[in-house]
């Protein structure tokens, strides 16, 4: 009876254990669906505080339709894995949005209504075996406004969170951002300025047209500083030359109150120096062409050295000159063609840009002890130095500049983000209103912005500083060409993309601005890749040697054959036969060496891969099992000790 009872209890215990096991799994699957532990080095699966804040502030429900051709993706494992990553992230967004995000996952199979919806939404398709592969997102709000990500590119995975959060923020805040532009650069009228516009000859800068396609633009006047207020999503200073203290005070207060600012300040504006005289139409050489704002810069913790520009031999543009003798193409040190290697890959503003053309850029330096953080966006190479802007006045000679050039080996910051706490540049209060000649004080103008002065920022300031204004000029980033009798403009650099990216990023919420790139889920085996590259270099070196031997031997054979033809002898001579045999021996020996290098490559890589697989597949489970056995032994000993004590 006792044995039967034990058996019954044992069976009942097993059934109960299975029941508890399944219950725990079901409950954890439902109740702990959003509970995660992120052990990745780059915190890939942990959403930033900025994204969480954006999700909490969604005013009206948003619908996200995730189009992913899951069946077709089975033929492309990497795409399938990235698709699951995007889907999991979207599910995480929906879970944290308190019901404000409705997520639909759609598999647009070929020749279905789902595929028609994907096409209608403007999603891009990739050709895969079996049909068109879709991998995009369509978001819509209650106003039927729509935003899309046409195709999720694995190469942009580090900006996946930024792209998703930006889309949601745009749907939550559907009004068009207002961009205010202030400065001496006549973007609205073109090189001839307002006088050319009065003559009906205005040619607005193309970059202004680019801005107007995406944002609402408001051109500001320095004489009306009250226009610089919180109604502006972003303020752009385009060569802010000779700004009055009142205008600078308005800018100071705008930034301290949380306004977003993009500054194109120039130690020497070649565009303005070449600006024609409004009366004669001829260029006006000389004069002060600086647009630095030293007092404001100091308050923000940076400085741009006056009367100096960055000359860079590695980035210098090639220009044609004919000063002495025939025309020649030389490196012109003040003009830089900044490549992607000199731009931050971790910032959304510059990550996807290829080249930016600039002229006589200044150098940005963080002041010692500053409370702000200066994050470089664009830097020079280490083949650079600071040179005098006085050398650029008139008609500078490239050869003379090259003779003065002596690189310092230092890297200079050309554009940067400035963030963090800052204090006012006007500690003594607002400057007194200027009084026009013949006016009484009561009619003095311009006035400073109304309201109590803010002495210190309550939140981190957001300033993007570029030490050049010439990059906004058409001649540095676009070319005009005739096509079918019309002027067509073809970009030759990404200057406009840089500005649009900057406005797009700065016009978002502070949470969106704070988002930076994340790591990639696909991480390469760097040691294995290095081994492969080293072996491939050896392989290619031996291959070049083989090709050289082949070429030399063929030349020898050709010489011998020509001698044979002169002798009217069609048979190979002993010398020719010996050369041919030697070539064959060398060829076979070299091929054996090449195979040996490849075998060594494969042996090293396979050995390392075996070790990695053993650690991941065998060693880790073995360690887990040993830990479990150790805990079991310790538990049994502890239990036996308790029984013995009883």
């Amino acid at each position: 009876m006792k044995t039967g009872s034990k058996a019954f209890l044992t069976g009942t215990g097993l059934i109960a254990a299975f029941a508890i096991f399944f219950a725990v799994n079901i409950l954890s699957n439902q109740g702990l669906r959003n509970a995660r532990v992120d052990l990745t080095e780059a915190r890939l699966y942990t959403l930033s505080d900025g994204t969480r804040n954006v999700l909490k502030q969604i005013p009206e429900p948003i619908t996200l339709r995730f189009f992913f051709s899951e069946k077709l993706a089975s033929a492309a494992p990497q795409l399938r894995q990235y698709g699951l990553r995007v889907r999991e992230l979207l599910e995480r967004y929906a879970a944290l949005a308190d019901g404000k995000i409705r997520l639909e996952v759609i598999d647009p199979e070929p020749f279905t209504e789902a595929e028609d919806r994907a096409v209608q939404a403007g999603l891009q398709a990739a050709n895969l075996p079996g049909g068109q592969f879709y991998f995009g997102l369509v978001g819509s709000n209650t106003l039927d406004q729509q935003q899309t990500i046409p195709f999720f590119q694995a190469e942009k995975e580090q900006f996946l969170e930024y792209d998703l959060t930006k889309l949601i923020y745009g749907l939550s805040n559907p009004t068009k951002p207002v961009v205010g532009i202030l400065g001496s650069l006549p973007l609205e009228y073109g090189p001839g300025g307002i006088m050319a516009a009065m003559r009906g000859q205005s040619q607005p800068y193309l970059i202004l047209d680019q801005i107007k396609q995406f944002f609402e633009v408001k051109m500001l006047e320095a004489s009306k500083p009250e226009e610089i207020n919180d109604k502006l999503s972003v303020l752009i200073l385009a060569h802010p030359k000779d700004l009055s203290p009142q205008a600078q005070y308005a800018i100071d207060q705008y930034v301290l109150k949380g306004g977003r600012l993009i500054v194109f300040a120039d130690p020497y504006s070649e565009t303005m120096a070449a600006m024609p005289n409004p009366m004669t139409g001829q260029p006006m050489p000389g004069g002060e062409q600086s647009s630095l704002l030293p007092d404001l810069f100091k308050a923000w913790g940076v400085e741009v050295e006056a009367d100096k520009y960055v000359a860079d031999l590695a980035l210098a543009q090639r220009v044609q000159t004919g000063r002495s003798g025939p025309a020649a193409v030389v490196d012109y040190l003040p003009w830089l063609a900044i490549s992607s290697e000199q731009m931050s890959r971790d910032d959304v503003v510059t990550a996807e840009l290829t080249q930016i053309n600039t002229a006589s850029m200044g150098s940005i330096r963080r002041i010692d002890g500053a409370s702000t953080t200066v994050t470089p966006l664009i830097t020079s190479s280490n083949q650079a130095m600071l040179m005098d802007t006085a050398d650029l006045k008139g008609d500078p000679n490239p050869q003379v500049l090259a003779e003065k050039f002596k690189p310092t080996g230092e890297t200079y910051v050309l554009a940067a983000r400035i963030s963090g706490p800052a204090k006012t540049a006007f500690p003594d209060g607002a400057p007194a209103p200027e009084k026009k000649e013949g006016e009484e004080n009561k009619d003095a103008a311009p006035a400073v912005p109304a309201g109590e002065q803010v002495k210190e920022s309550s939140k981190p300031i957001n300033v993007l500083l570029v030490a050049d204004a010439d990059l906004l000029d058409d001649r540095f980033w676009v070319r005009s060409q005739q096509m079918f009798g019309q002027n067509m403009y073809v970009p030759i650099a990404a200057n406009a993309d840089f500005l649009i990216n900057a406005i797009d990023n700065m016009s978002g919420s502070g949470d969106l601005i704070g988002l930076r790139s994340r790591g990639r889920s696909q991480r390469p085996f760097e040691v294995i890749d290095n081994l492969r590259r080293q072996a491939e270099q050896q392989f290619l070196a031996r291959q070049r040697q083989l090709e050289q031997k082949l070429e030399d031997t063929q030349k020898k054979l050709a010489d011998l054959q020509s001698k044979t033809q002169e002798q009217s002898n069609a048979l190979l001579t002993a010398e020719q036969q010996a050369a041919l045999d030697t070539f064959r021996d060398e060829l076979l020996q070299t091929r054996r060496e090449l195979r040996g290098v490849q075998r060594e490559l494969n042996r090293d890589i396979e050995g390392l891969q075996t070790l990695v697989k053993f650690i991941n597949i065998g060693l880790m489970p073995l360690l887990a099992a040993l830990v479990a056995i150790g805990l079991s032994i310790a538990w049994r000993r502890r239990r036996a000790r308790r029984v013995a004590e009883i």
Side-chain angles (χ1 to χ4, degrees):
M1 183 69 180
K2 194 177 287 186
T3 303
S5 299
K6 287 184 178 180
F8 174 76
L9 291 174
T10 302
T12 305
L14 288 174
I15 295 173
F18 277 112
I20 293 173
F21 174 77
F22 284 110
V24 168
N25 273 274
I26 294 172
L27 291 174
S28 62
N29 188 47
Q30 297 298 323
L32 303 177
R33 185 179 181 86
N34 296 316
R36 306 162 184 254
V37 177
D38 188 355
L39 301 179
T40 58
E41 181 181 0
R43 308 294 290 171
L44 293 174
Y45 301 94
T46 302
L47 295 181
S48 64
D49 292 337
T51 293
R52 292 173 180 269
N53 291 336
V54 170
L55 295 176
K56 289 178 182 178
Q57 297 169 8
I58 298 176
E60 298 291 338
I62 291 173
T63 300
L64 300 180
R65 296 179 177 88
F66 176 49
F67 290 83
F68 180 59
S69 304
E70 188 170 0
K71 293 181 180 178
L72 290 179
S74 59
Q78 289 185 343
L79 279 176
R80 181 180 178 83
Q81 183 177 354
Y82 188 41
L84 294 176
R85 160 109 165 92
V86 175
R87 177 174 177 171
E88 289 175 355
L89 192 58
L90 288 171
E91 290 174 345
R92 183 69 172 153
Y93 272 64
L96 294 175
D98 295 329
K100 292 296 181 65
I101 292 181
R102 178 172 174 265
L103 177 63
E104 298 179 13
V105 180
I106 302 171
D107 184 354
E109 297 184 21
F111 308 107
T112 62
E113 292 185 2
E115 185 180 38
D116 295 340
R117 293 172 64 188
V119 173
Q120 186 177 13
L123 299 186
Q124 297 175 0
N127 291 320
L128 286 184
Q132 297 287 309
F133 176 78
Y134 291 92
F135 186 16
L137 182 69
V138 180
S140 58
N141 57 20
T142 54
L143 300 176
D144 290 333
Q145 293 176 321
Q146 183 173 291
Q147 292 195 20
T148 65
I149 297 177
F151 196 92
F152 287 100
Q153 301 177 25
E155 295 79 8
K156 292 183 62 179
E157 182 183 0
Q158 68 267 39
F159 294 107
L160 175 60
E161 181 183 356
Y162 176 85
D163 290 337
L164 293 177
T165 305
K166 174 187 168 187
L167 181 142
I168 291 171
Y169 179 81
L171 293 172
S172 303
N173 301 269
T175 56
K176 216 172 185 181
V178 179
V179 178
I181 301 178
L182 173 66
S184 301
L185 200 65
L187 298 176
E188 192 174 12
Y189 305 112
I194 192 170
M195 296 299 294
M198 294 175 64
R199 296 193 299 267
Q201 300 174 350
S202 65
Q203 294 180 336
Y205 284 96
L206 292 174
I207 208 161
L208 180 62
D209 182 62
Q210 294 285 310
I211 300 174
K212 288 182 176 179
Q213 291 182 26
F214 301 96
F215 309 98
E216 181 182 340
V217 176
K218 184 176 182 181
M219 305 303 296
L220 308 178
E221 297 180 22
S223 60
K224 299 178 180 179
E226 66 275 8
E227 294 181 340
I228 303 174
N229 52 48
D230 58 5
K231 294 181 181 179
L232 302 177
S233 303
V234 179
L235 173 62
I236 298 177
L237 301 182
H239 191 53
K241 184 175 181 290
D242 300 331
L243 288 184
S244 66
Q246 290 73 26
Q248 294 192 44
Y249 176 79
I251 296 168
D252 172 86
Q253 293 297 290
Y254 175 79
V255 170
L256 293 180
K257 292 177 182 178
R260 292 71 180 273
L261 179 66
I262 303 175
V263 186
F264 293 91
D266 209 321
Y268 182 81
S269 172
E270 298 188 30
T271 299
M272 296 302 294
M275 198 72 68
N277 187 307
M279 303 302 295
T280 64
Q282 298 297 319
M284 297 183 296
E288 178 57 47
Q289 300 301 339
S290 172
S291 60
L292 305 182
L293 303 170
D295 293 336
L296 291 177
F297 289 173
K298 183 178 179 181
W300 300 334
V302 297
E303 67 176 2
V304 178
E305 189 168 352
D307 304 322
K308 297 288 185 181
Y309 73 93
V310 177
D312 193 324
L313 182 61
L315 304 178
Q317 295 187 41
R318 303 280 288 172
V319 300
Q320 186 171 341
T321 179
R323 290 178 174 272
S324 57
V329 178
V330 298
D331 292 322
Y332 188 50
L333 296 172
W335 290 7
L336 306 183
I338 302 172
S339 64
S340 59
E341 287 77 12
Q342 308 306 133
M343 293 183 260
S344 172
R345 300 293 91 184
D346 296 326
D347 196 290
V348 69
V349 173
T350 53
E352 300 297 321
L353 301 182
T354 54
Q355 178 177 311
I356 295 177
N357 291 341
T358 67
S360 57
M361 292 196 80
S363 172
I364 302 170
R365 189 183 71 84
R366 181 177 181 270
I367 299 174
D368 294 338
S371 59
T372 54
T373 300
V374 180
T375 306
L377 292 183
I378 304 175
T379 59
S380 71
S381 75
N382 58 5
Q383 300 183 47
M385 70 170 293
L386 293 178
M387 298 184 71
D388 296 329
T389 58
D391 296 335
L392 301 177
K393 296 180 179 180
D395 190 13
N397 189 326
Q399 280 90 353
V400 173
L401 296 178
E403 291 173 1
K404 294 182 179 181
F405 179 75
K406 298 185 184 303
T408 61
E410 183 179 349
T411 298
Y412 299 93
V413 178
L414 309 178
R417 284 185 186 270
I418 305 170
S419 60
K423 296 182 179 180
T424 180
F426 296 85
D428 298 329
E434 291 184 350
K435 184 175 66 173
K436 292 183 179 179
E437 187 176 352
E439 290 183 339
E440 297 181 1
N441 286 337
K442 64 179 182 179
D443 298 321
V448 298
E452 186 178 351
Q453 181 187 15
V454 176
K455 296 284 188 178
E456 187 173 354
S457 63
S458 59
K459 296 180 179 180
I461 65 172
N462 285 302
V463 177
L464 197 156
L465 175 59
V466 183
D468 180 48
D470 295 317
L471 66 86
L472 303 176
D473 191 342
D474 293 350
R475 64 179 174 141
F476 290 105
W477 69 276
V478 73
R479 288 289 180 268
S480 174
Q481 64 183 32
Q482 287 287 329
M483 184 174 294
F484 303 111
Q486 294 184 343
N487 259 346
M488 302 293 292
Y489 297 96
V490 180
I492 59 172
N495 296 26
D497 296 331
F498 171 66
L499 178 55
I500 297 299
N501 288 351
I503 299 173
D504 191 40
N505 178 248
M506 297 288 276
S507 63
S509 70
D511 298 314
L512 191 61
I513 295 173
L515 292 183
R516 292 293 180 268
S517 68
R518 309 294 290 271
R520 294 176 179 269
S521 58
Q522 297 288 340
R523 301 187 62 183
F525 289 104
E526 295 180 358
V527 176
I528 295 176
D529 289 343
N530 289 334
L531 281 175
R532 182 179 288 108
R533 279 192 291 269
Q534 292 173 6
E536 286 176 350
Q537 288 176 357
Q538 297 178 21
F539 188 86
L540 291 175
R542 294 296 297 149
Q543 186 179 27
R544 284 192 293 270
Q545 292 177 8
L546 172 62
E547 292 173 350
Q548 186 62 45
K549 286 182 180 181
L550 176 62
E551 184 178 348
D552 293 342
T553 306
Q554 286 177 337
K555 184 177 180 181
K556 292 178 181 178
L557 286 175
D559 292 340
L560 291 174
Q561 287 174 350
S562 62
K563 291 180 181 179
T564 303
Q565 290 176 355
E566 291 176 0
Q567 299 171 357
S568 300
N569 186 2
L571 298 176
L572 291 175
T573 64
E575 185 180 1
Q576 290 174 321
Q577 188 64 48
L580 184 59
D581 293 340
T582 301
F583 165 67
R584 288 173 176 168
D585 291 341
E586 291 178 352
L587 179 61
L588 293 174
Q589 179 62 27
T590 306
R591 285 179 174 172
R592 280 194 292 268
E593 292 176 2
L594 289 174
R595 287 196 297 270
V597 172
Q598 193 66 41
R599 279 197 301 270
E600 291 177 6
L601 164 67
N602 294 333
R603 183 167 58 248
D604 292 340
I605 292 177
E606 289 173 0
L608 189 57
Q609 286 177 335
T610 301
L611 177 62
V612 171
K613 289 179 180 178
F614 171 73
I615 293 174
N616 283 277
I617 300 173
L619 183 59
M620 296 307 295
L622 180 60
L623 289 176
L626 291 175
V627 170
I629 292 172
L631 292 174
S632 176
I633 293 173
W635 179 78
R636 288 184 178 181
R637 288 179 177 176
R638 186 176 179 182
R639 183 181 178 187
R641 203 179 299 118
R642 286 182 179 178
V643 172
E645 291 175 356
I646 294 174

